[in-house]
Amino acid sequence: MSLIFRPAASLLVIFTILTGVVYPLAMTGLIQIAMPDRANGSLVRKGETVVGSALIGQRFDGDRYFHSRPSAAGKNGYDAAASSGSNLGPLSVKLHDRIGASLAALMSMDQTRVSADAVTTSASGLDPHISIAFAQRQLSRVARARNVERSRLQALLDQISKKPDLGFIGEPRVNVLMLNLALDAEMGRGAS
C-alpha cells in the first residue's frame, strides 16, 4: 500500500510547490520586470495621487466632463469589487426602467440621437471606454459648460482616441478618465 501512496504523495507535494509557488512567483517577477505598469493595475496618477485605473471605468458627473457609460457593477455602479453583468434579459422590467431613465437624462441634455453605449452597460459593468460617437454627442454640452470652442474639444478627442487594435480588432474608442484628465490639464479644472 505504501508503494502506491508514497510516490503519489511525493508527486503531490512536488507539483504543489512547482505549480502553486515557483511558477506563480516566476511569472509575477517576469511580468513586474517586463510590464510593471500593467502588472500593478495600470494606475493613473495626477502628480503623486492615484486618480483611477486605465482599465476600470468610473462615474463622472456634471456638464464639465464627458460621462462614462452606465455601470451595473455593485449597488451604485462602478464598484470594481462587484464586477459582473446585470444578467437582465430583454423582457426585464428593471432593465427597461434603467434604460428609460438613462434615455430621459440624455434627452434632458438635448441629445436626440443616442449611442447604444450611452444607455447600456458593458459585460463587466466597468468598461472605461466609450464610443467616439457617444463622446462626440457630448462635445456641445462640455464646450458650453467650459466656455470653449467645440473644435478645441474635438481636437482633444481626436488626440486621445484609440483606433481598433491592429487596425481591425474592436471599435474606435476613447478612455473617459484619460479624456477628462486631458481636458482638465489643457483647459483648466475650474469650478464644476
Side-chain angles (χ1 to χ4, degrees):
M1 196 68 136
S2 70
L3 291 175
I4 296 172
F5 289 115
R6 186 174 175 172
S10 298
L11 285 174
L12 175 67
V13 169
I14 289 169
F15 280 107
T16 299
I17 291 170
L18 281 176
T19 61
V21 178
V22 174
Y23 179 76
L25 287 175
M27 289 298 105
T28 300
L30 181 66
I31 295 301
Q32 282 291 340
I33 292 168
M35 298 181 255
D37 181 56
R38 287 185 179 185
N40 294 314
S42 299
L43 299 177
V44 177
R45 299 177 191 282
K46 193 172 184 179
E48 294 296 316
T49 306
V50 174
V51 294
S53 169
L55 303 174
I56 299 174
Q58 55 187 285
R59 180 183 319 278
F60 287 96
D61 294 318
D63 290 341
R64 298 178 55 79
Y65 291 102
F66 288 88
H67 296 173
S68 303
R69 68 186 299 170
S71 172
K75 187 174 183 178
N76 298 316
Y78 307 100
D79 182 357
S83 174
S84 68
S86 66
N87 292 330
L88 300 175
L91 300 177
S92 168
V93 173
K94 186 176 179 181
L95 177 63
H96 183 269
D97 291 347
R98 191 189 51 72
I99 289 176
S102 294
L103 276 171
L106 290 170
M107 295 300 180
S108 72
M109 289 187 254
D110 297 330
Q111 289 195 24
T112 54
R113 294 188 61 206
V114 176
S115 303
D117 61 330
V119 294
T120 59
T121 63
S122 64
S124 68
L126 297 171
D127 190 352
H129 299 95
I130 59 174
S131 67
I132 303 302
F134 183 28
Q136 287 176 329
R137 288 192 175 98
Q138 298 182 61
L139 284 174
S140 296
R141 172 182 49 81
V142 176
R144 273 192 313 271
R146 289 189 179 254
N147 198 26
V148 297
E149 292 293 320
R150 190 177 192 277
S151 59
R152 279 185 70 194
L153 291 180
Q154 181 65 55
L156 184 63
L157 176 61
D158 292 342
Q159 177 186 346
I160 302 295
S161 297
K162 299 288 182 197
K163 301 213 181 313
D165 296 330
L166 302 175
F168 66 94
I169 299 174
E171 296 291 323
R173 64 205 178 277
V174 63
N175 186 301
V176 180
L177 173 61
M178 304 310 269
L179 180 59
N180 285 331
L181 286 174
L183 183 65
D184 278 347
E186 186 166 311
M187 296 170 198
R189 182 166 188 185
S192 25

